Amino acid sequence: METVYETQRDEQGHPIQVATGKRMQFTLTYPVHTSALTDALKAALPGKVIGVNAGGVNRPVEVLLALTATDDDEPAITATVMAHDPVFIVPAKDQVLANGVDMVIVGINAPKPGAAPVTLQMAWKPGVQPAWNVAQDWAIPLTDGAGFDHMTANDRGTVAMRVKNGTNRSNEVLKIACL
Amino acid sequence: MAWTVPPSWSTSQLVTATQMQVLSDDLAYLLNRPNNSIKRDNGSSYTTTSTSFTDLDGTNIKITMSISGSAVLLGFTAVILGGAAVADAGSPYFDFDIDGTRFASAGTDGYFRAGYNSSSAAQAVSNVSMTALVTGLSTGSHTFKVKWKVASGTATLFSGSGSGGSDYIPDFWAVEVA
């Protein structure tokens, strides 16, 4: 864990180094789901995580921390990053005709070697919030971390989908409009 | 070749080749002032959830340049995933960093903010295009970088993903101007 400094000016205008936070870097061979990893880190270390900075496999993953983070937090941070098992949901389109024929191909990318199986939850969204309590499971078979399936619709409305048990994997909710 | 202060002249002075060479070298310097342009193909997009300013890429989107004057013009152009369903989530703030100091350090929100589509739940691309004239620099080496942050959500800046629709290349450049 290293401290991050920013140069500021004192009252006399002289440059001074001010600590603005801390940082840990990890080199991973797969891209991270930045927001899911951030949520997992914030849950593990409440009040100590500023965010995550990432640039694909070509850049280290940076965990930005508050000054209150200490070396004692490193094991929890490392464990959370190492447990991160990202899942990216990639629908081919965000609309489908509600005629039972038109289809949307939904792709899944789980790039971590040995990624856990992926099951999506699909919820019909008649109101403001998707009805996750009656959501339908949709297992997507993976081959080398990639898989896809398709969906059709018979009724108009919105289908929302997310990764089941998505903590530290994916926190996104994708919506398909059925027209 | 660095800039050399030209000689002063007096009436009927004998001009030497050495003095003329100074002028010649300085003209050459003016034609080819220190400059750099980084077109970054990262092979993947950059993302951040950081709510405090952090380097966009402190290794690859960084210019170190030795100048003879005191002013440098900076520019940064990129395409981001702009819109978001929830207010301004994921709409990033940007700033330049000069030797560890943010250009707009007087503002906690920095120098530039990318636009977002507040009326639509659909995410859409948006542009980042900012320039700054940095003055008051000392002669010698300086390091320039780009910083970014979000208020909430996740920001995505495209940098050569290789996939159509997100395969944009950001450009960071600097040139000494005075």
Side-chain angles (χ1 to χ4, degrees):
Chain A
M1 185 179 297
E2 62 177 316
T3 303
V4 178
Y5 294 94
E6 185 174 289
T7 304
Q8 298 179 2
R9 300 279 172 179
D10 64 14
E11 293 178 349
Q12 284 75 42
H14 303 303
I16 54 173
Q17 295 287 305
V18 177
T20 57
K22 297 183 178 180
R23 174 173 58 192
M24 286 185 71
Q25 290 192 341
F26 298 88
T27 300
L28 303 177
T29 58
Y30 47 90
V32 297
H33 193 297
T34 313
S35 60
L37 178 57
T38 301
D39 284 355
L41 287 163
K42 287 183 175 179
L45 298 106
K48 294 184 177 180
V49 176
I50 293 174
V52 172
N53 210 32
V57 298
N58 298 312
R59 293 288 304 139
V61 176
E62 294 179 323
V63 179
L64 290 311
L65 301 156
L67 287 170
T68 52
T70 68
D71 289 347
D72 292 340
D73 295 320
E74 287 192 8
I77 295 167
T78 302
T80 303
V81 173
M82 291 300 111
H84 182 57
D85 186 6
V87 178
F88 302 94
I89 311 172
V90 188
K93 55 184 181 179
D94 58 8
Q95 295 180 342
V96 62
L97 296 176
N99 58 10
V101 176
D102 191 22
M103 68 175 66
V104 176
I105 295 175
V106 177
I108 293 293
N109 181 21
K112 184 177 183 178
V118 174
T119 298
L120 298 181
Q121 286 184 306
M122 299 182 66
W124 186 248
K125 187 191 175 197
V128 176
Q129 296 295 332
W132 294 118
N133 57 329
V134 292
Q136 179 180 345
D137 285 356
W138 185 16
I140 307 290
L142 299 180
T143 302
D144 294 332
F148 66 92
D149 205 341
H150 71 278
M151 61 161 282
T152 58
N154 293 314
D155 300 305
R156 293 184 179 183
T158 301
V159 170
M161 62 183 73
R162 67 181 183 184
V163 175
K164 187 177 184 179
N165 300 321
T167 300
N168 209 2
R169 302 197 78 190
S170 167
N171 58 359
E172 59 192 322
V173 176
L174 290 181
K175 295 166 184 167
I176 304 293
C178 307
L179 307 174
Chain B
M1 182 179 300
W3 172 266
T4 303
V5 177
S8 298
W9 307 104
S10 58
T11 305
S12 301
Q13 178 180 339
L14 178 64
V15 177
T16 67
T18 301
Q19 289 171 319
M20 291 303 292
Q21 191 60 47
V22 169
L23 299 182
S24 177
D25 291 346
D26 281 352
L27 284 172
Y29 181 87
L30 290 174
L31 184 62
N32 189 25
R33 290 165 291 178
N35 63 85
N36 198 349
S37 175
I38 297 173
K39 291 180 282 188
R40 175 61 182 164
D41 183 352
N42 187 51
S44 180
S45 299
Y46 293 98
T47 56
T48 194
T49 57
S50 178
T51 53
S52 65
F53 276 107
T54 187
D55 292 342
L56 174 61
D57 182 341
T59 301
N60 301 294
I61 302 182
K62 177 179 77 171
I63 293 174
T64 299
M65 201 164 71
S66 187
I67 63 171
S68 297
S70 61
V72 168
L73 190 61
L74 299 177
F76 179 67
T77 304
V79 177
I80 62 163
L81 192 59
V86 181
D88 59 353
S91 173
Y93 303 73
F94 290 88
D95 208 338
F96 291 115
D97 179 288
I98 301 102
D99 300 326
T101 301
R102 283 193 296 111
F103 177 72
S105 59
T108 57
D109 288 336
Y111 184 56
F112 185 89
R113 177 139 191 231
Y116 62 95
N117 184 358
S118 61
S119 63
S120 171
Q123 293 191 317
V125 296
S126 181
N127 72 302
V128 178
S129 182
M130 59 180 188
T131 56
L133 179 61
V134 184
T135 59
L137 296 170
S138 60
T139 299
S141 180
H142 295 278
T143 299
F144 309 99
K145 294 188 287 189
V146 175
K147 286 184 173 290
W148 67 335
K149 71 169 187 175
V150 291
S152 63
T154 304
T156 299
L157 187 145
F158 300 121
S159 183
S161 68
S163 300
S166 61
D167 197 17
Y168 304 94
I169 301 297
D171 180 29
F172 178 42
W173 52 265
V175 58
E176 180 184 352
V177 291

